[in-house]
Amino acid sequence: MNLYSSLIAQCAHTKSLTTLRAVHNKVIKSGFSYSFLGHKLIDGYIKCGSLVEARKLFDELTNRHIVTWNSIISSHINHGKCKEAVEFYGNMLVEGVLPDAYTFSAIYKAFSQLGLLRHGQRAHGLAVVLGLEVQDGFVASALVDMYAKFDKMRDAHSVFLRVLEKDVVLFTALIVGYTQHGLDGEALEVYEDMVCRGVKPNEYTLACILISCGNLGDLVNGQLIHGLVIKSGLESVASQTSLLTMYSRCNMVEDSIKVFNLLDYANQVTWTSFVVGLVQNGREETAVSIFREMIRCLIRPNPFTLSSILQACSSLAMLEVGEQMHAITMKLGLDGNKYTGAALINLYGKCGNVENARSVFDVLTELDVVAINSMIYAYAQNGFGHEALELFERMEKLGLVPNSVTFISILVACNNAGLVEEGCRIFSSIRNNQKIELTRDHFTCMIDLLGRSRRLEEAAVLIEEVRNPDVVLWRTLLNTCKIHGEVEMAEKVMRKILELAPEDGGTHILLSNLYASAGKWNQVIETKSTIRDMKLKKSPAMSWLDIDREVHTFMAGDLSHPRAHEIFEMLHGLIEKVKILGYNPDTRFVLQDLEEEKKMSSLYYHSEKLAIAFALWKTIGRTTTIRIFKNLRVCGDCHSWIKFVSLLTGRYIIARDAKRFHHFKGGLCSCKDYW
């Protein structure tokens, strides 16, 4: 028998399933009772990876020892078969076999995986009866972990307090639970208690508490723990990944880069944490470079890596790079994933490519509120109001409940498409929906919508409904007063704003522009004097575009471009031709007191006109879409001019300004002159 025991142990060690089967057959032929070798054979089959044969042999045994039950239960849990493990546990109790510490530490995990809280509580009660709840550290740690997974942190803490001899595993289980549920302050308190008791943390404790420091923005404690990680020699992949995250969340990007550069090895999670941290800190270009390095190192990105890098491409409006990332998601079979799908929709929406955004949306395997919100907002940014409304109405048919973000997106869509009545109807429905709380963002959208449709008095009344209205709400109304040249009302709004924020520079600049467009030059001089006294600087209008992977930037009247001669030649030709089609320069958009002829000349050299003239010169003979970007709003004169240029040249022109996209085609714009 000792020979067979030795052979079975050797098979288990070498994971030789074929040899183990041969030994099993020899045992059967020799007539040895399973009561002596059954458990060893089951253990051997489990270690050789054959759960089916272990289960078959287990069912043949008549007298099953607690060790055998524990082996079959834990092996099923380890193979993700928690439901079967729970069934075994129930059968064991029926047969009168009492669980031990090993049983409990395994079965609590199965209960949490399956969401069986009541089963877990009953098993907890049995552990108390058997005196194993707080006497055995493994059982207590498993209980804390189980309650944490059920979001029962009070119960987890209660178990923790009853344990007299607390070890690192127990402390870590509670710290992990608190961190996972956003209770980072409590996690730090438990860690401090652990240190005071002289219990040395392990790599998992430190990795977890670093995440809490990052969530709290607690750089001081984070740096102290970083020192402890180095001093104790616990610089594992887990702790280094948490260090990256901690420094990123504390806005210490350079420190996170240093940590990453010192790593001997980085796994998928580490790369992803680094990329996410860079994007969150506005280092999108660096994130794209790091992602490319990750691909070169043959590290497979996951949906979170890809959604984060797509967010970087969206922020930079890097359509070509974003399309490359889209190709990678398709190659990895992740294009139908809801996280990457929403990020792709957002990318194409922010790059003005609504058709591609919709194509991504249509292949998603799982439609949720996030994906639909992304698509509605893509439509909203690009002025496709009716399409956004159609999708909004489809949500109800799909059984999806709109959230606060949905309503903001659909109000933006109504605003950008001039759908005033539809916007009013939706805003009214939000008011009547007790499950949705009206926020300042909802009011801002509605005030802008009413103001742009010249319903300024209604917009002002709506602001008064808001408890403690802020500067943003009043400035939104002031901006719509500027659009319509309503000087008198603008001055009233100005007084409201200055009551709230006397030093608000943006308001003075807006009012100065309003006076200029209305030709009130004395007031312009007075307002500009105030602006100078406040030492404010107005952001210069700037337009840029990417052609053949090279970015070209223009400012009004810019003569510095290497191709300035060709640009001006193209621009003058375009102006003369579009005048024949009906373009008439609108000098109301010149914010300086100049002679009429000089006003027109000033209009001709706005940054967006220079950018489009360059694009047309650079792409002569092509039919590709022209895409330009502007840091401020496209002025009314340029908007009119671009419509005529699209009619004249037959080119599709997409312009993204500070508020939205304008799609110019055949002399028309997607905003229908409502911008």
Side-chain angles (χ1 to χ4, degrees), residues 64 594 597 618 654:
R64 291 174 286 215
L594 302 171
E597 190 174 331
K618 186 75 173 176
I654 300 175

Side-chain angles (χ1 to χ4, degrees), residues 84-364:
E84 291 87 340
V86 170
E87 289 174 1
F88 279 121
Y89 173 75
N91 292 337
M92 183 181 83
L93 296 180
V94 169
E95 291 189 16
V97 179
L98 290 176
D100 60 10
Y102 191 89
T103 321
F104 284 125
S105 61
I107 202 64
Y108 290 144
K109 181 180 178 181
F111 291 141
S112 61
Q113 289 285 333
L114 296 170
L116 301 173
L117 175 59
R118 292 296 175 87
H119 287 69
Q121 289 170 328
R122 283 197 289 268
H124 179 189
L126 182 56
V128 172
V129 170
L130 296 174
L132 294 171
E133 180 211 24
V134 295
Q135 296 300 321
D136 189 284
F138 288 111
V139 174
S141 299
L143 266 171
V144 168
D145 180 68
M146 180 187 76
Y147 281 124
K149 285 187 169 69
F150 283 123
D151 195 12
K152 298 283 185 181
M153 291 309 302
R154 186 174 294 177
D155 292 328
H157 189 236
S158 178
V159 172
F160 173 83
L161 290 176
R162 288 198 293 275
V163 179
L164 297 177
E165 294 185 16
K166 298 176 176 65
D167 61 7
V168 64
V169 178
L170 182 64
F171 273 106
T172 302
L174 188 60
I175 288 170
V176 169
Y178 278 135
T179 303
Q180 288 176 339
H181 293 290
L183 301 170
D184 300 292
E186 288 85 344
L188 274 172
E189 287 177 11
V190 175
Y191 175 75
E192 288 167 4
D193 180 29
M194 178 182 176
V195 172
C196 290
R197 290 172 183 262
V199 178
K200 290 185 178 180
N202 59 28
E203 61 179 286
Y204 302 107
T205 323
L206 295 175
C208 192
I209 207 66
L210 280 167
I211 296 294
S212 286
C213 290
N215 291 341
L216 293 168
D218 188 346
L219 182 61
V220 174
N221 273 318
Q223 289 174 324
L224 288 172
I225 294 166
H226 186 180
L228 182 59
V229 168
I230 296 170
K231 186 178 178 181
S232 57
L234 295 173
E235 295 173 283
S236 64
V237 173
S239 62
Q240 297 295 78
T241 302
S242 295
L243 273 170
L244 285 174
T245 304
M246 185 273 292
Y247 280 122
S248 294
R249 289 180 182 171
C250 291
N251 302 317
M252 303 292 287
V253 185
E254 295 304 323
D255 288 292
S256 71
I257 292 172
K258 286 176 185 175
V259 170
F260 184 81
N261 289 337
L262 290 171
L263 284 173
D264 293 324
Y265 168 76
N267 61 16
Q268 183 193 65
V269 177
T270 310
W271 283 96
T272 298
S273 298
F274 190 37
V275 168
V276 169
L278 289 168
V279 175
Q280 288 173 342
N281 283 278
R283 301 287 287 271
E284 290 91 351
E285 290 184 16
T286 307
V288 172
S289 298
I290 293 298
F291 180 81
R292 284 173 172 155
E293 186 182 340
M294 175 182 176
I295 296 298
R296 283 194 293 270
C297 291
L298 303 179
I299 303 294
R300 180 189 173 98
N302 61 28
F304 301 106
T305 329
L306 289 164
S307 59
S308 187
I309 206 65
L310 285 165
Q311 182 185 333
C313 295
S314 301
S315 300
L316 297 170
M318 297 171 68
L319 179 59
E320 189 174 340
V321 177
E323 287 172 334
Q324 292 170 5
M325 301 305 165
H326 188 180
I328 291 172
T329 64
M330 292 178 71
K331 187 176 180 181
L332 296 173
L334 295 172
D335 50 318
N337 177 274
K338 63 180 181 180
Y339 299 107
T340 53
L344 279 166
I345 292 165
N346 187 46
L347 164 76
Y348 286 122
K350 286 187 175 177
C351 290
N353 196 328
V354 183
E355 294 80 7
N356 278 12
R358 183 67 198 217
S359 295
V360 172
F361 179 80
D362 287 338
V363 299
L364 289 178

Side-chain angles (χ1 to χ4, degrees), residues 544-547 549-553:
W544 65 95
L545 70 164
D546 184 341
I547 295 182
R549 299 188 181 184
E550 188 176 355
V551 176
H552 300 265
T553 304

Side-chain angles (χ1 to χ4, degrees), residues 333-451:
L334 295 172
D335 50 318
N337 177 274
K338 63 180 181 180
Y339 299 107
T340 53
L344 279 166
I345 292 165
N346 187 46
L347 164 76
Y348 286 122
K350 286 187 175 177
C351 290
N353 196 328
V354 183
E355 294 80 7
N356 278 12
R358 183 67 198 217
S359 295
V360 172
F361 179 80
D362 287 338
V363 299
L364 289 178
T365 53
E366 181 185 348
L367 276 183
D368 62 1
V369 174
V370 175
I372 292 182
N373 284 352
S374 299
M375 192 64 233
I376 289 175
Y377 193 66
Y379 280 137
Q381 285 177 301
N382 289 274
F384 293 85
H386 291 290
E387 290 83 351
L389 283 169
E390 184 183 337
L391 191 54
F392 176 70
E393 290 165 4
R394 184 179 162 194
M395 284 186 78
E396 187 177 350
K397 295 174 184 176
L398 292 170
L400 296 171
V401 180
N403 58 22
S404 179
V405 176
T406 317
F407 285 114
I408 290 171
S409 298
I410 198 64
L411 286 173
V412 170
C414 292
N415 193 351
N416 286 348
L419 302 174
V420 183
E421 296 309 319
E422 291 85 344
C424 290
R425 176 175 53 81
I426 290 167
F427 187 77
S428 177
S429 73
I430 304 171
R431 275 181 160 170
N432 297 328
N433 189 338
Q434 296 180 349
K435 294 181 180 178
I436 300 292
E437 183 181 352
L438 273 172
T439 67
R440 291 181 190 273
D441 288 332
H442 294 118
F443 277 100
T444 302
C445 289
M446 199 59 204
I447 290 159
D448 198 37
L449 178 63
L450 290 170

